[in-house]
Amino acid sequence: MTDDDLPIKPATRLVQAGRRAEWTKGVVNVPVWRGSTVLYDNVAHMRATGAGDLHEKLFYGRKGLPTQWSLADALTSLEPGAEATFLYPSGVAAIAAALLSVLSPGDELLLVDSAYDPTRGLATGLLTRMGVTTRFYDPLVGAGIAELIGPATKAIFLESPGSLSFEVQDIPAIVEIAKARGITTILDNTWATPLFFPAIEKGVDLTVLACTKYVVGHSDAMLGSVTAAPSHWAALRDTSFQLGQVASPDDAYLGSRGLRTMGVRLAQHQQSALAIAKWLAEQPGVAQVLHPALPSCPGHDIFARDFLGSSGLFAFVLDGGNDAARTAMLDGLAHFGLGFSWGGYESLAIPADPHRYRSVTKRDFAGPLIRLQIGLEDTDDLIADLDRGLARFRAARG
Ligand SMILES: *Cc1c(COP(=O)(O)O)cnc(C)c1O
């Protein structure tokens, strides 16, 4: 806990969080502390350090150094009600640590069917080998989750909105049922960030960010985090230490640097993405826009009730056509890079095929999907680019 208790607003917190004087030593940013060995004054000092709680204490590089602690503290302070945060070298490593801190052989995991594909891979791979069974559930299940819970159910993994198809989950309904049954909830909150969905305050036990996306914000580092409610911190910390997890100080520095502007970047991502989503909804060749802030997105009512804003990632469904027609649109885009990941300052597009990563919710779309990450370019330029792309799609579709 640092400056968490001051009654300040998120924008101010983003600027101030994690910048403890003992870590900055007078400059504005906490510098990059690179190190493995920590040198002690004498044997007594060495023993005393090792005997106590090692959280945010200089002990050995694997337990972190002030550069990592600063970002972890800052992320904790964005989540009212949270105890602490652990950093990881990627978002997937964060998801793995969160799951492993809760699950043991014989347990069952309920995993949302619209989860990020590598999260599914972890469940069907490593967790299966460990003797944990996974049951996939419909992202729109809401309070119906109660009927899926069995005696072995230990954790429910949520991701809202869902990867590629953007269904918004009824997180409060699921959390209420989970709490009553003593089941842990884990949320992949990468899309909304704590600025648009303060997950711990909403009752989630462990909230995951792929910091690679909006926290880093510049497509130049891999980083993940898990922020824990007080009841779940000790297990998360111990599991993460046992796994030997440590984020590099250079990447943590880039995460802290990105965090300072995350609020203004998200505000612009939100505004530009909404403008483009609304424009797309009117275009010939577009069957449906899957943006949580638009009524055409499944779960939109829940989004409007629970979220404080929307970010820059959404998808749209082409009206008919096949993969070749979709490719005709994507291959000629001038301002959208063709690449995975998102959350950076630059716009990206990918062909999205959610049906390949679903097992219990087969949805029928009118045509192929394209996922867009709307960056910080001028929206007029992006719209003109998409307009030319849709013309190519329509010509190829025939
Ligand atoms: C990218 C992503 C991740 C994984 O993050 P990495 O840093 O790439 O490992 C996890 N969840 C979601 C929703 C993502 O988009």
Side-chain angles (χ1 to χ4, degrees), residues 102-388:
V102 177
L103 295 166
S104 301
D107 290 341
E108 181 186 64
L109 167 69
L110 296 182
L111 175 55
V112 66
D113 206 25
S114 52
Y116 183 60
D117 181 47
T119 308
R120 298 175 68 90
L122 194 62
T124 56
L126 178 65
L127 293 183
T128 302
R129 276 204 286 123
M130 267 178 58
V132 172
T133 54
T134 296
R135 202 164 168 191
F136 290 97
Y137 67 89
D138 184 337
L140 301 175
V141 72
I145 196 86
E147 286 146 43
L148 303 179
I149 292 172
T153 307
K154 190 72 184 291
I156 303 173
F157 191 99
L158 309 98
E159 181 181 329
S160 184
S163 271
L164 305 181
S165 45
F166 294 88
E167 300 91 339
V168 184
Q169 291 195 249
D170 193 341
I171 298 173
I174 293 174
V175 160
E176 190 186 331
I177 291 162
K179 278 208 186 307
R181 310 277 287 261
I183 295 166
T184 296
T185 49
I186 307 170
L187 170 69
D188 184 334
N189 199 28
T190 302
W191 184 87
T193 83
L195 294 184
F196 291 158
F197 190 83
I200 301 290
E201 192 173 51
K202 301 266 189 189
V204 169
D205 296 315
L206 293 166
T207 179
V208 180
L209 293 180
C211 298
T212 308
K213 313 292 166 56
Y214 287 122
V215 173
V216 168
H218 295 72
S219 308
D220 51 4
M222 304 292 300
L223 203 61
S225 67
V226 182
T227 299
S231 53
H232 285 68
W233 168 243
L236 178 75
R237 179 200 56 208
D238 292 349
T239 300
S240 303
F241 279 159
Q242 285 162 22
L243 288 168
Q245 287 291 11
V246 57
S248 113
D250 292 276
D251 294 340
Y253 181 90
L254 290 173
S256 289
R257 180 143 133 167
L259 194 71
R260 306 300 167 204
T261 59
M262 189 170 81
V264 288
R265 283 187 286 108
L266 272 176
Q268 187 62 51
H269 286 298
Q270 165 165 247
Q271 187 186 322
S272 298
L274 271 172
I276 291 171
K278 286 178 183 159
W279 176 83
L280 276 169
E282 305 294 316
Q283 300 312 304
V286 174
Q288 188 183 4
V289 177
L290 301 172
H291 185 306
L294 298 190
S296 50
C297 188
H300 163 73
D301 292 348
I302 290 166
F303 170 83
R305 184 192 68 190
D306 293 346
F307 284 67
L308 304 172
S310 57
S311 62
L313 190 81
F314 66 95
F316 65 97
V317 183
L318 290 161
D319 192 6
N322 55 16
D323 184 51
R326 171 172 65 181
T327 301
M329 170 159 187
L330 287 170
D331 274 352
L333 292 173
H335 300 312
F336 289 81
L338 191 64
F340 297 112
S341 203
W342 46 280
Y345 56 84
E346 83 291 8
S347 289
L348 296 168
I350 55 165
D353 297 305
H355 52 275
R356 288 170 55 190
Y357 313 107
R358 300 285 184 275
S359 40
V360 296
T361 46
K362 296 279 177 227
R363 285 176 56 204
D364 287 326
F365 295 111
L369 271 73
I370 290 177
R371 191 189 74 181
L372 298 178
Q373 126 89 4
I374 303 302
L376 304 179
E377 303 89 343
D378 192 291
T379 48
D380 290 346
D381 292 335
L382 297 177
I383 285 175
D385 199 19
L386 293 170
D387 196 27
R388 290 187 296 266

